[in-house]
Amino acid sequence: MTEQQARQKAVETAKAGLGAVQGDEKHKQIIDRYNSFSPLPRGYKVKYTDAWCATYISYIAIRLGWTDIMPPECGCGEMIKLYQQHKLSEWEERDDYVPQIGDIIMYDWDDGVSNYATTDNTGWPEHVGMVSAVNGNNLAIIEGNYSKSVKERQMQVNGRYIRGYCLPAYHLKADGVDEPVTVAPAPAPATRSTLRNGDWGDAVAVLQSRLNAHGANPKLTVDGGFGKLTETAVRAFQATKKLLVDGVVGTATWAELDKEPQSAATPPATATPPATTAPPVGGAKEWAVAQGIFSASTNLAAAATKQDIVDALYAYAGIPGASANPNPTA
């Protein structure tokens, strides 16, 4: 992976959260994953109701496993301090710095001076995002907690409100091998990743599709986010397959998920009773007359034995095999 590909990987991870809204399942996954990091920065557990722009940037670092170059923190000002003190990554104070994708941009909404383009903003930072595209002087930035969602903002280089940039040392993630940054195909069963609540990505989408194929109820939305609904479906599947019910998708659970779902069993065929003439509206006697068992004029049996009469009545009642009954009753 080259440095540019490392930057693109960070951006793709940021894009995976687009559409998350505060209070929904994706947002809760972001907060939960941040809170699961150890040691928790400053010991503060982020609430679902807190501002979460810096938490989202930290979530990206945690998802990538790159917290060595992207120190996690839930506060913008404290995050700047971490980059200022960092031995590998850097803090860029100049507002007019031309960023690269993957750079982390800090904002100060109190930048009210008219000559902001020629004045360095040194105010307290109040918001943060990740640069996702640079086209000349035009920037696209992905931000958590942008109107309580993960959204993309358009801005100009050296635009108003820019406080500065945190610059992760992406070059340390480069090994010099050129690897195209593409969406990875679904892994083969033998190389399935272990998945748990809080994970995101293509592997989770595959998991959700397999759970649906095996009859997840309710059916899951295949969005690549491993939340509470997906965990509930995993636990139900594990219980059905008599696996360890822990909500974690490991080798044993993948092995069962990769099997073809069992189709509903076909009910055994039932014997079709011998066809008889449908009884007329009049009732049993009229039907017996039609069968030649009674005479319509004399109301007496016409060439019929007692067993014939009993069998006919059983047939009328829809009970097959009456002649085999050793004790027929009328």
Side-chain angles (χ1 to χ4, degrees):
M1 180 164 58
T2 65
E3 178 182 343
Q4 190 63 20
Q5 288 165 347
R7 290 176 176 276
Q8 187 63 46
K9 187 172 183 179
V11 170
E12 292 303 319
T13 304
K15 286 181 177 179
L18 287 170
V21 177
Q22 187 162 346
D24 72 4
E25 196 67 25
K26 277 190 174 183
H27 168 253
K28 291 178 180 178
Q29 290 170 26
I30 293 164
I31 304 305
D32 291 347
R33 189 61 181 270
Y34 175 85
N35 286 337
S36 70
F37 183 76
S38 181
L40 191 61
R42 292 186 289 147
Y44 180 75
K45 188 173 182 179
V46 177
K47 301 179 182 67
Y48 294 145
T49 53
D50 286 343
W52 48 285
C53 55
T55 302
Y56 185 61
I57 295 298
S58 299
Y59 170 84
I60 295 167
I62 294 167
R63 287 284 297 126
L64 289 166
W66 292 355
T67 55
D68 56 334
I69 65 167
M70 301 171 70
E73 170 55 54
C74 63
C76 295
E78 295 300 322
M79 183 176 284
I80 288 178
K81 291 179 184 178
L82 292 176
Y83 276 85
Q84 288 172 329
Q85 300 164 3
H86 207 279
K87 295 181 179 179
L88 305 173
S89 301
E90 301 175 9
W91 165 248
E92 175 54 70
E93 178 71 27
R94 294 181 300 114
D95 307 354
D96 61 354
Y97 165 79
V98 179
Q100 300 183 63
I101 62 169
D103 286 348
I104 297 167
I105 182 171
M106 289 284 179
Y107 303 98
D108 170 22
W109 300 135
D110 297 321
D111 186 10
V113 297
S114 58
N115 59 337
Y116 63 84
T118 57
T119 304
D120 186 28
N121 183 344
T122 59
W124 185 256
E126 296 156 326
H127 192 59
V128 61
M130 177 176 284
V131 178
S132 56
V134 180
N135 184 12
N137 285 327
N138 298 313
L139 307 178
I141 304 112
I142 296 175
E143 304 166 9
N145 202 32
Y146 175 0
S147 299
K148 297 188 176 182
S149 350
V150 178
K151 297 170 66 175
E152 193 170 62
R153 183 191 304 274
Q154 305 297 319
M155 206 160 192
Q156 295 284 314
V157 172
N158 198 22
R160 187 175 181 180
Y161 306 119
I162 295 176
R163 173 66 180 83
Y165 295 86
C166 297
L167 308 180
Y170 289 114
H171 65 279
L172 296 178
K173 299 303 174 184
D175 55 16
V177 178
D178 189 13
E179 299 174 357
V181 179
T182 58
V183 176
T191 59
R192 295 288 198 202
S193 301
T194 297
L195 301 174
R196 53 177 50 83
N197 196 328
D199 285 334
W200 267 6
D202 296 330
V204 176
V206 172
L207 165 65
Q208 291 167 327
S209 296
R210 294 307 298 162
L211 287 168
N212 284 339
H214 283 274
N217 187 17
K219 188 175 182 180
L220 299 172
T221 300
V222 181
D223 58 4
F226 196 138
K228 291 182 180 179
L229 292 178
T230 300
E231 181 179 346
T232 298
V234 168
R235 288 178 178 274
F237 178 80
Q238 289 171 327
T240 300
K241 299 301 180 180
K242 299 181 179 179
L243 301 170
L244 174 64
V245 180
D246 59 1
V248 177
V249 184
T251 303
T253 303
W254 272 123
E256 292 296 327
L257 285 166
D258 284 320
K259 294 179 181 178
E260 284 302 312
Q262 296 180 352
S263 57
T266 303
T270 55
T272 303
T276 58
T277 305
V281 175
K285 179 179 177 181
E286 289 80 359
W287 178 81
V289 169
Q291 299 297 309
I293 298 171
F294 283 99
S295 166
S297 59
T298 63
N299 209 28
L300 298 173
T305 65
K306 181 179 179 180
Q307 188 63 52
D308 290 334
I309 297 171
V310 171
D311 287 348
L313 291 174
Y314 267 81
Y316 177 79
I319 304 173
S323 60
N325 190 338
N327 297 301
T329 55

